[in-house]
Amino acid sequence: MRIAGAVRTVVAVAACAVLLTSCGSGSDDASGAGQRSGHAKGAEHGDGSRARAAEAGRIPDVGDRLQTKIPEDSRQVVAVYGDGVNSADSTVVLYTKTGKTDSTWEKARTWPAHNGKKGWTTDHREDDKRSPVGVFTLTDAGGVLADPGAKLPYTESVSMQAPHYWPKTHWHDFDYVIAIDYNRAKGTPPNDPTRPQGQTKGGSIWLHMDHGSGTSGCVSLSKSGMAYLLRTLDPKQHPVVVMGDKTNLAT
């Protein structure tokens, strides 16, 4: 369902303060230590062979603690592999199950990405500049740009535009976003300010477009990668994101 402009505006005004201290921040430094290093150079690529996952029924390199939190009915997983607990560099991999009776995860696409500029945490707090480790559902999307053909409910609104007092490299961060259901109300626009666990636990953790360095807690990838995810992630397939640094993921 698309939300009328007036309603979006009210939601956006209420959410403004939250957005400035969570998903985006004018203090992010596009030339700082979070800049992608050698392994992330180059555009995202598709895996033409759609290689089978290493273990049937499991997301590769994800241990039992998080593996068991992936819903049984989920057939799409966005895995975010952080380089290290204090690193802003990561890799996003889309895994899918194709047949109704197929329990094997297949690697569909891979993209270089960024996460929180200070890395990862298992106890996320407002403005800690780290991304939360965990398994979270993906139910809502939106952005400044028109709907590119998203299967998830998509809210188009200029109110999501990054403030222009941020560095110019960040102005298009929110052209496309997918809300990560960490401390948010499902079924609402990505910038809905509701925080079920309270304000101190942070929120507004999104998948959004990359500006070349670490974020304030979100996961970012290329515009084409975001467009692909928007066109591919299907609520009927119960998509989730599994995210964290490689050590925490493997636990």
Side-chain angles (χ1 to χ4, degrees):
M1 178 182 295
R2 273 48 177 177
I3 298 178
V7 175
R8 290 198 303 264
T9 300
V10 171
V11 171
V13 171
C16 183
V18 174
L19 290 174
L20 292 179
T21 58
S22 51
C23 193
S25 170
S27 63
D28 286 349
D29 181 3
S31 61
Q35 191 74 30
R36 286 311 306 258
S37 56
H39 84 277
K41 291 180 181 179
E44 69 284 349
H45 60 278
D47 185 346
S49 63
R50 295 180 62 83
R52 291 284 177 175
E55 299 178 71
R58 296 179 66 88
I59 300 298
D61 303 314
V62 175
D64 289 344
R65 182 174 64 89
L66 294 180
Q67 197 88 227
T68 56
K69 293 183 179 181
I70 299 172
E72 291 185 4
D73 59 358
S74 178
R75 305 188 71 77
Q76 293 179 324
V77 167
V78 177
V80 185
Y81 297 99
D83 282 8
V85 68
N86 296 316
S87 173
D89 296 337
S90 54
T91 301
V92 169
V93 182
L94 174 64
Y95 293 100
T96 65
K97 290 180 179 178
T98 52
K100 290 183 178 180
T101 60
D102 188 357
S103 61
T104 302
W105 290 105
E106 296 184 352
K107 181 188 290 187
R109 293 289 180 105
T110 303
W111 300 271
H114 288 98
N115 50 266
K117 60 165 61 177
K118 292 187 177 180
W120 297 90
T121 179
T122 56
D123 185 22
H124 180 63
R125 298 289 170 172
E126 183 77 7
D127 204 30
D128 64 6
K129 308 300 183 185
R130 293 181 178 270
S131 298
V133 174
V135 177
F136 310 102
T137 53
L138 302 171
T139 56
D140 304 281
V144 178
L145 300 180
D147 185 349
K151 291 183 172 67
L152 295 172
Y154 188 95
T155 301
E156 176 189 350
S157 176
V158 295
S159 67
M160 293 187 197
Q161 188 171 47
H164 279 198
Y165 57 79
W166 288 5
K168 192 173 182 179
T169 52
H170 295 51
W171 288 1
H172 295 284
D173 281 12
F174 310 141
D175 281 1
Y176 290 140
V177 304
I178 298 171
I180 293 172
D181 291 335
Y182 169 83
N183 197 19
R184 69 176 301 272
K186 299 178 185 179
T188 64
N191 59 349
D192 185 283
T194 307
R195 300 285 177 265
Q197 299 176 57
Q199 202 67 31
T200 59
K201 290 293 290 180
S204 293
I205 305 297
W206 298 346
L207 295 167
H208 68 66
M209 285 170 47
D210 191 57
H211 55 246
S213 64
T215 71
S216 289
C218 295
V219 173
S220 61
L221 60 155
S222 66
K223 180 179 181 180
S224 59
M226 282 299 301
Y228 183 88
L229 289 176
L230 285 165
R231 296 185 187 112
T232 303
L233 297 179
D234 185 345
K236 294 179 181 178
Q237 304 301 316
H238 308 285
V240 299
V241 60
V242 180
M243 54 194 281
D245 59 280
K246 292 177 180 178
T247 299
N248 270 306
L249 286 177
T251 302

